[in-house]
Amino acid sequence: METDRLVIAVDGPAGSGKSTIAKRIADILGLEYIDTGAMYRALTLKVINEGIDSKDTESILELLQTTSIYFKDNHIYLDGIMVDDKIRKNIINKNVSNVAKIKKVREKMVEIQQKLSKSSNIIMDGRDIGTVVLPRANFKFFIIASVEERARRRYKELIEKGEKDISYNQILTEIKRRDKLDSTRKISPLRKSPESYEIDTTNKTIDQSINEIIDIIKGGN
Ligand code: CDP
């Protein structure tokens, strides 16, 4: 357990609300926020831009050698260019789990994430934060919601961002596929660690979920 700093790990499947929740908690408690999914997404963007198949592990590893991914002022940069919006497109959603299951990709990302976590009070969200990246976190939360609700949220978000040619059913199928890939992969699968607090956001507003988490942190239990 960390003693001198506040370190919070947040994990959960796509569309569970973990990023929204983690960002708001960072603001409320004055913590640094790290969105680890953005790093896997940024590499996936480069893979797609280079015309590489997301299953072509060898080419992806070669690409990784000459790729720089970092955060500055809460924005994500790929080779020096801010890519906040580009990494949220549905084509990235569809390919990111293939890229994220590659062992050497994970090793590099986890190394960066652990370095980032050393200096300040922090909240980090992803799939393997409580289990692998920050096993000594003071608090671990596992955010869930029904798959239909998660697909509804993701569909709404993509439509609001102007994506065309998508349907709710297609997004539902894609989310189920990504859930399966993320939770059955060999290396650091999405898994709730026994000491995590499970927060089900299905029938809750964001504020309700946030309050539940803040109460747990303030209660110190
Ligand atoms: O927002 P959403 O939950 O859809 O995605 P995200 O948190 O940005 O993560 C995108 C993908 O990156 C996930 O589906 C995982 O395949 C991968 N990921 C991971 O493997 N490990 C992490 N710590 C974070 C994301």
Side-chain angles (χ1 to χ4, degrees):
M1 178 89 77
E2 294 281 346
T3 47
D4 51 341
R5 287 180 307 129
L6 181 57
V7 175
I8 303 174
V10 180
D11 290 298
S16 56
K18 60 188 183 315
S19 299
T20 311
I21 289 172
K23 220 176 290 167
R24 289 270 300 276
I25 289 180
D27 286 343
I28 295 167
L29 299 180
L31 313 173
E32 191 179 335
Y33 166 59
I34 305 284
D35 172 2
T36 63
M39 298 171 64
Y40 295 96
R41 286 171 175 274
L43 178 59
T44 306
L45 174 64
K46 184 157 175 184
V47 166
I48 288 167
N49 285 347
E50 298 279 326
I52 295 171
D53 189 302
S54 62
K55 289 189 175 147
D56 182 352
T57 303
E58 211 175 303
S59 303
I60 294 173
L61 289 182
E62 208 175 299
L63 197 69
L64 186 66
Q65 312 256 336
T66 54
T67 299
S68 110
I69 291 171
Y70 59 92
F71 293 96
K72 199 172 145 215
D73 302 328
N74 282 326
H75 299 289
I76 178 99
Y77 287 79
L78 169 67
D79 297 330
I81 294 170
M82 194 206 286
V83 291
D84 293 6
D85 293 334
K86 290 202 175 88
I87 61 166
R88 304 287 159 200
K89 301 247 191 265
N90 204 38
I91 184 152
I92 308 293
N93 296 349
K94 281 194 205 166
N95 287 281
V96 62
S97 293
N98 287 333
V99 175
K101 71 178 190 199
I102 303 171
K103 184 166 183 268
K104 289 209 171 110
V105 167
R106 301 205 68 79
E107 283 170 359
K108 177 151 183 194
M109 300 302 181
V110 169
E111 192 190 316
I112 300 172
Q113 291 155 11
Q114 288 180 332
K115 266 191 204 139
L116 287 173
S117 77
K118 294 272 184 273
S119 51
S120 48
N121 293 328
I122 192 164
I123 184 163
M124 194 178 274
D125 83 346
R127 299 290 188 285
D128 57 343
I129 309 306
T131 50
V132 175
V133 183
L134 304 174
R136 285 158 49 84
N138 306 93
F139 295 95
K140 298 180 183 178
F141 295 97
F142 197 77
I143 316 289
I144 57 163
S146 74
V147 71
E148 292 79 12
E149 174 62 19
R150 293 188 285 119
R152 258 193 300 278
R153 290 175 188 168
R154 188 48 49 96
Y155 175 68
K156 185 166 171 270
E157 182 190 319
L158 289 169
I159 290 290
E160 280 169 4
K161 284 189 180 142
E163 291 249 3
K164 310 258 183 314
D165 304 323
I166 53 166
S167 69
Y168 165 79
N169 279 328
Q170 176 201 339
I171 300 299
L172 179 64
T173 307
E174 285 169 14
I175 286 205
K176 283 182 180 165
R177 180 181 154 269
R178 192 140 64 96
D179 281 357
K180 191 161 170 220
L181 278 171
D182 288 346
S183 49
T184 59
R185 72 181 175 216
K186 272 209 213 83
I187 306 132
S188 333
L190 172 65
R191 201 162 46 76
K192 178 184 177 293
S193 57
E195 65 276 25
S196 289
Y197 292 95
E198 184 170 289
I199 310 288
D200 187 339
T201 68
T202 309
N203 294 308
K204 287 180 198 143
T205 63
I206 292 167
D207 281 340
Q208 283 171 329
S209 305
I210 288 170
N211 288 339
E212 199 177 326
I213 291 174
I214 298 276
D215 282 350
I216 292 171
I217 296 169
K218 294 226 159 120
N221 53 11

